[in-house]
Amino acid sequence: MLQQLEKADIVRCMVAPYTARKHKAEFGQFMTPARVARFMVSLFPASTLRTCRLLDAGAGVGALSCAFLDRWVTGGFGFDAVEATAYEIDDTLRGYLAQHLTSYQGVTPQIVAGDYIELATANDLFTAKQPTGYTHVVLNPPYRKIHSNSAHRLALRRVGIETVNLYSAFVALAITQATQGGHVVAIIPRSFCNGPYYRPFRDFILKRTAIRHLHLFESRNKAFKDDKVLQENIILHLERGGQQGPVMVSTSNDDTFTNLATHEHPFDQIVFSDDRERFIHIPTSPEKNAIELSPAICYTLDDIGIKVSTGPVVDFRLKEHLRDMPEKGTVPLLYPGHFSGSGTMWPIEGMKKPNAIRHNADTEKWLYPNGFYCVVRRLSSKEEKRRIVASVVEPGVFGNAPMLGFENHLNLFHDNKRGLPESLAHGLALFLNTTVVDEYFRRFNGHTQVNATDLKRMKYPSRSTLIQLGEWVVSQGPLTQDQIDAKVGTIAA
């Protein structure tokens, strides 16, 4: 006999192909496959509460609720009864949702039609004294940006939540409605783990909950492959008001979970204690590598007199000053596409991005003097061989250009907004392009962004060692990865 989760999954497979792309985009919702739902529910600890109060906001056809209730009826929890509240905005799905939830004995279902954010932030509902709150929350929230002056954004602000996407709003509201000691399990995009826009949401989570478990899918498109969602998703388990301790981190290649690997990590490897941005890292291996073990790689960027910044030119904000090709009154504008293994290529005719930016009073503060710099792309594909790809900016490529523009998708190593000594720039790039650096970075930073903060936190060889490496590089021809690794290995041993 099929469990309700399998029935819900049959409905999901039946409904999803006929749901228009426009309709999905409007609600930002993608239904949870059965295997993902079952894994998510397995993260809840055993419980002997007499009554469970379950919340499933954005419930769809009820896959997550059914996975939870199937675990209960097969002995996974010791509840006597479950009060299940499910919010669903889509009229076409609520009938299936009701059918699935009402089939369980001992369950009191409440199916709420409407917008979860609107309803949960309404004064009478949000401020009402709830004697217990929700003991368990399971979520696959919608993914869609919230505009700064939208009704959702204003409603969230009224209850002290500042965030930029529906998924983070749902999680924040659910945390607020959970009881002390209540557990929240959600599958959401990885994007909240870093970057400035999600800083308030990270603060919200870290202030109110303990992170118990993080699960990372190694392939970006496997969690919701039926809906062709190219999104880096994670599953997180939070405990409202819990005392933070070590965090369990698991990985799997896809939603079959056949190669599931799980390790425990100290919390200070998840959120670094001195990181003001509160980035959330997901280490993928417990073993230390040569970077962490080498006594010669122990220096900070401050120690070696180098700074790293995000490229300051945000092109859409300076659009009127951009030019496709260089002309009188312009200086070079550099994007990741201008750099490759063979060096700097500029200008590139027919490139989709502009090659130049006007040099005037409006752009002066965003430009750097022409010189030697080391740059690292901020974005990469998870499937690329290396996450960190460093290149050297060589001033001779740009003739007598007095200034350079660095676009926002580059990280830039510099000396107080000036160029670096040539050997130092080359040595730094050589070090950053090693396999051991890439392995170290991937272990702590599974996301595809390489942020300036992450590069700032790393340890480096001494300035004199980097200069020696750079002098060696300049005397060589093109290098293979093995040659790069072997050379840096001589100073890491």
Side-chain angles (χ1 to χ4, degrees):
M1 183 176 177
L2 287 177
Q3 291 184 313
Q4 285 302 316
L5 174 57
E6 276 67 34
K7 293 179 181 178
D9 203 49
I10 291 170
V11 172
R12 177 189 69 84
C13 294
M14 177 181 70
V15 171
Y18 299 101
T19 304
R21 184 182 297 271
K22 181 180 177 182
H23 185 80
K24 288 179 182 177
E26 178 185 355
F27 291 120
Q29 192 168 10
F30 300 91
M31 290 179 281
T32 316
R35 286 184 296 209
V36 173
R38 194 174 290 111
F39 177 80
M40 289 173 64
V41 166
S42 75
L43 300 183
F44 286 105
S47 175
T48 55
L49 287 171
R50 298 294 299 275
T51 301
C52 164
R53 300 192 71 240
L54 174 67
L55 170 65
D56 184 354
V61 298
L64 288 173
S65 289
C66 289
F68 186 92
L69 296 171
D70 284 350
R71 180 179 166 188
W72 171 50
V73 299
T74 56
F77 299 110
F79 316 130
D80 293 333
V82 176
E83 299 171 5
T85 302
Y87 287 79
E88 180 48 54
I89 194 172
D90 190 339
D91 296 339
T92 62
L93 302 181
R94 275 197 307 276
Y96 297 113
L97 176 62
Q99 179 182 337
H100 295 143
L101 296 192
T102 54
S103 65
Y104 291 93
Q105 290 186 346
V107 175
T108 305
Q110 180 186 11
I111 295 170
V112 184
D115 185 313
Y116 174 60
I117 293 176
E118 289 180 7
L119 294 170
T121 55
N123 289 335
D124 57 338
L125 193 71
F126 194 85
T127 60
K129 298 277 187 192
Q130 295 184 22
T132 57
Y134 293 107
T135 61
H136 296 77
V137 178
V138 62
L139 293 173
N140 174 10
Y143 309 167
R144 200 180 71 224
K145 288 182 180 178
I146 303 175
H147 297 297
S148 57
N149 294 317
S150 66
H152 279 153
R153 194 71 169 266
L154 298 176
L156 290 162
R157 281 191 187 130
R158 284 198 300 270
V159 297
I161 296 172
E162 188 64 50
T163 194
V164 296
N165 201 293
L166 290 179
Y167 79 78
S168 47
F170 270 55
V171 173
L173 285 171
I175 289 169
T176 305
Q177 293 186 312
T179 186
Q180 287 295 105
H183 294 269
V184 178
V185 174
I187 181 168
I188 58 177
R190 177 79 178 269
S191 53
F192 82 93
C193 291
N194 59 84
Y197 296 122
Y198 287 99
R199 167 70 189 276
F201 177 59
R202 292 193 295 275
D203 287 340
F204 189 96
I205 287 177
L206 295 171
K207 181 179 179 181
R208 291 166 176 80
T209 74
I211 300 175
R212 297 299 183 212
H213 194 118
L214 295 164
H215 178 82
L216 177 66
F217 293 97
E218 293 179 0
S219 181
R220 296 179 71 194
N221 60 350
K222 293 298 176 67
F224 298 104
K225 60 178 179 289
D226 292 347
D227 287 310
K228 297 180 173 58
V229 177
L230 185 60
Q231 178 65 262
E232 193 169 12
N233 294 285
I234 66 168
I235 296 169
L236 73 163
H237 169 206
L238 309 171
E239 182 182 352
R240 174 76 193 272
Q243 185 70 32
Q244 184 64 65
V247 179
M248 298 302 297
V249 175
S250 58
T251 59
S252 66
N253 186 57
D254 54 30
D255 65 347
T256 64
F257 302 97
T258 51
N259 65 333
L260 183 68
T262 304
H263 302 285
E264 184 178 85
H265 296 272
F267 183 68
D268 61 9
Q269 290 186 5
I270 305 298
V271 178
F272 301 146
S273 58
D274 59 347
D275 181 8
R276 289 180 296 179
E277 292 299 318
R278 311 289 275 162
F279 286 179
I280 295 174
H281 301 83
I282 306 183
T284 55
S285 167
E287 292 82 18
K288 291 186 176 182
N289 78 348
I291 294 282
E292 297 162 280
L293 295 172
S294 171
I297 304 175
C298 62
Y299 298 89
T300 67
L301 288 179
D302 285 342
D303 293 335
I304 58 181
I306 294 176
K307 295 187 180 300
V308 62
S309 307
T310 303
V313 176
V314 180
D315 53 12
F316 69 85
R317 291 178 182 161
L318 295 170
K319 194 171 183 179
E320 62 183 293
H321 301 288
L322 307 183
R323 299 293 183 269
D324 287 341
M325 293 296 287
E327 58 186 52
K328 187 177 180 180
T330 67
V331 295
L333 175 58
L334 302 177
Y335 283 79
H338 287 110
F339 300 97
S340 66
S342 58
T344 308
M345 297 173 57
W346 183 91
I348 300 176
E349 196 166 351
M351 183 174 171
K352 292 181 180 179
K353 301 291 186 180
N355 284 281
I357 183 170
R358 296 280 297 172
H359 182 198
N360 53 37
D362 292 330
T363 63
E364 176 78 25
K365 67 179 178 178
W366 309 115
L367 304 177
Y368 282 65
N370 194 2
F372 287 95
Y373 298 90
C374 177
V375 293
V376 172
R377 292 185 310 181
R378 284 184 58 210
L379 299 177
S380 66
S381 162
K382 284 198 77 173
E383 288 71 28
E384 286 188 88
K385 288 183 179 179
R386 286 209 319 272
R387 191 67 49 83
I388 293 184
V389 179
S391 303
V392 174
V393 177
E394 304 210 19
V397 172
F398 313 106
N400 60 357
M403 308 292 283
L404 300 174
F406 294 94
E407 194 268 337
N408 193 244
H409 288 86
L410 289 168
N411 292 303
L412 172 69
F413 290 88
H414 56 95
D415 178 5
N416 278 325
K417 291 198 70 172
R418 298 186 302 272
L420 302 171
E422 178 180 2
S423 295
L424 182 58
H426 279 284
L428 182 58
L430 182 79
F431 172 72
L432 290 169
N433 283 329
T434 58
T435 300
V436 290
V437 167
D438 197 64
E439 288 173 348
Y440 171 84
F441 187 83
R442 284 174 183 267
R443 188 159 69 84
F444 281 100
N445 306 274
H447 51 77
T448 55
Q449 291 190 34
V450 179
N451 297 291
T453 302
D454 296 323
L455 295 169
K456 197 177 299 182
R457 287 199 51 82
M458 284 176 47
K459 300 297 185 184
Y460 297 81
S462 68
R463 184 182 179 98
S464 60
T465 299
L466 289 172
I467 289 172
Q468 290 172 15
L469 289 173
E471 290 171 346
W472 177 80
V473 170
V474 172
S475 69
Q476 304 296 306
L479 297 170
T480 66
Q481 188 65 54
D482 287 343
Q483 289 173 316
I484 292 171
D485 292 341
K487 183 62 179 178
V488 175
T490 63
I491 61 105

